[in-house]
Amino acid sequence: MADAIPATPRRILRDIDPSAWEHPADRAALMAVRRIPVFDEVLKTLFGIFGEKPIRLAFQANAVRVGPKQFPDIWHHYVEVCETLDVRDMPELFVTQTPLVNAGAYGMDRPFIVLNSGAVRLLSRDELTYLMGHELGHVMSGHVLYRTMIVLLMQLATMGFPVIGIAARVVLMGLLEWQRKSELSADRAGLLALQHPEATLSTLMKLAGGGREEETDLNEFLVQADQYRDGGDAADMVFKVLNLLGATHPFHVLRAAELRDWIEAGEYDRILRGDYRHRQDGPAPYKEDLAAAARAYREDAQTF
């Protein structure tokens, strides 16, 4: 797919606070999982066993660190994306060899981002902009600690949760529900990095089914999303929930529909005009934030 040309020059979002793009359901789900009685115990035990160094070494041993001399085109592109979101402390970026078109952000004290080679080879520059912005959104929103926790717990689940114990299963299910909702926040960050709504939605379509530009139609994809989201009876709703159990991401059609709704609500344009919460402003008012989170969680819990 040829890169689309943005209608306006790229805007640098100076001092943008992550709360500007965070989905209320993301915050509500994280608050819910933190209230699980064994959460703190599992967290301390898990990172007491593994720590940051083994996780970082695993990627350094089986991936290529991006920089001026390795994947230089990706490096210069990554610098631009970081500038757009005004990232002060750039996370390390790696490329790992795997055909799956995806990426991830991991770590504890020192987050890092991993691009799969399948994504590097398949996606256009615009699409990679969205993908890198998406992962930077996870980093800036403080998601990486819990995302790393999910990866470790899923690996331990295959061995019956040795050492940590069966209580970790409850924590894992809660974290997976939160992670699906955290993707909605990161999708907004990816859009703000790219600043081209149609190209962003087309990227989600490509991640859903692949295909070349001449083989697909974005309008039809969004119609498909609305049909899935709004159609069906009570039995269909049960199956929709069951389909998501154990999943790490919401369905791409639903992510596209949710992002389109955010654009149509005017939030995207408002941010590009410079009307957003800045880092020095501090957190959003507690009662207002909590009410919005609870409302969104109640409305969307069975969808994503």
Side-chain angles (χ1 to χ4, degrees):
M1 183 176 73
D3 288 338
I5 300 174
T8 58
R10 177 174 59 113
R11 293 180 183 271
I12 307 300
L13 303 175
R14 299 291 183 198
D15 292 315
I16 188 168
D17 187 80
S19 63
W21 63 66
E22 287 170 354
H23 195 288
D26 167 8
R27 295 192 290 272
L30 189 56
M31 284 189 287
V33 77
R34 282 172 173 165
R35 292 194 182 103
I36 297 174
V38 295
F39 180 80
D40 287 341
E41 179 182 347
V42 171
L43 179 67
K44 291 176 183 176
T45 304
L46 189 66
F47 291 119
I49 295 170
F50 292 96
E52 169 128 5
K53 189 174 182 180
I55 297 171
R56 180 171 292 274
L57 287 176
F59 282 96
Q60 289 178 335
N62 200 34
V64 175
R65 184 167 52 206
V66 177
K69 295 183 178 180
Q70 298 191 117
F71 295 104
D73 289 342
I74 294 177
W75 169 251
H76 293 303
H77 187 189
Y78 180 54
V79 170
E80 290 179 1
V81 176
C82 288
E83 288 175 349
T84 301
L85 295 179
D86 200 14
V87 177
R88 307 292 172 78
D89 188 9
M90 290 175 54
E92 285 188 300
L93 181 65
F94 294 86
V95 173
T96 189
Q97 174 64 23
T98 176
L100 184 65
V101 182
N102 207 345
Y106 310 98
M108 299 177 205
D109 298 324
R110 296 169 54 208
F112 57 93
I113 294 172
V114 180
L115 298 177
N116 290 0
S117 60
V120 171
R121 300 307 176 202
L122 179 66
L123 300 183
S124 70
R125 182 178 174 85
D126 274 354
E127 292 161 347
L128 276 177
T129 296
Y130 158 78
L131 196 62
M132 289 191 285
H134 176 104
E135 298 304 332
L136 282 168
H138 281 309
V139 172
M140 296 173 71
S141 288
H143 292 163
V144 288
L145 173 66
Y146 304 107
R147 286 167 60 86
T148 303
M149 191 175 177
I150 289 171
V151 171
L152 296 176
L153 284 174
M154 291 184 74
Q155 291 175 344
L156 290 172
T158 63
M159 299 181 287
F161 294 106
V163 182
I164 292 181
I166 200 65
R169 188 181 301 276
V170 177
V171 174
L172 176 58
M173 294 306 294
L175 282 171
L176 284 172
E177 181 177 354
W178 160 75
Q179 178 162 306
R180 292 193 294 271
K181 292 171 174 58
S182 76
E183 295 300 321
L184 305 178
S185 297
D187 284 341
R188 296 175 177 182
L191 168 62
L192 292 170
L194 178 54
Q195 299 181 11
H196 194 299
E198 184 175 349
T200 298
L201 295 173
S202 294
T203 304
L204 288 169
M205 179 174 63
K206 195 167 189 177
L207 292 173
R212 297 184 298 273
E213 187 176 29
E214 62 271 17
E215 297 176 312
T216 54
D217 184 277
L218 180 58
N219 289 332
E220 285 297 314
F221 183 67
L222 293 173
V223 168
Q224 175 187 340
D226 289 334
Q227 289 173 341
Y228 182 88
R229 186 168 61 174
D230 302 330
D233 54 19
D236 290 331
M237 180 60 70
V238 172
F239 286 116
K240 288 179 181 180
V241 174
L242 292 175
N243 285 340
L244 285 171
L245 288 179
T248 58
H249 289 64
F251 298 131
H252 288 96
V253 290
L254 295 176
R255 289 168 61 183
E258 183 71 13
L259 194 57
R260 178 202 57 191
D261 291 349
W262 190 65
I263 295 168
E264 292 179 348
E267 293 301 304
Y268 165 71
D269 286 332
R270 179 178 61 80
I271 290 175
L272 287 194
R273 291 196 304 268
D275 182 12
Y276 53 78
R277 180 168 292 277
H278 295 73
R279 293 165 196 167
Q280 62 268 29
D281 294 338
Y286 175 75
K287 290 183 178 179
E288 173 188 328
D289 184 66
L290 188 62
R295 183 171 57 254
Y297 192 68
R298 182 176 63 251
E299 294 171 352
D300 298 334
Q302 305 303 316
T303 305
F304 300 104

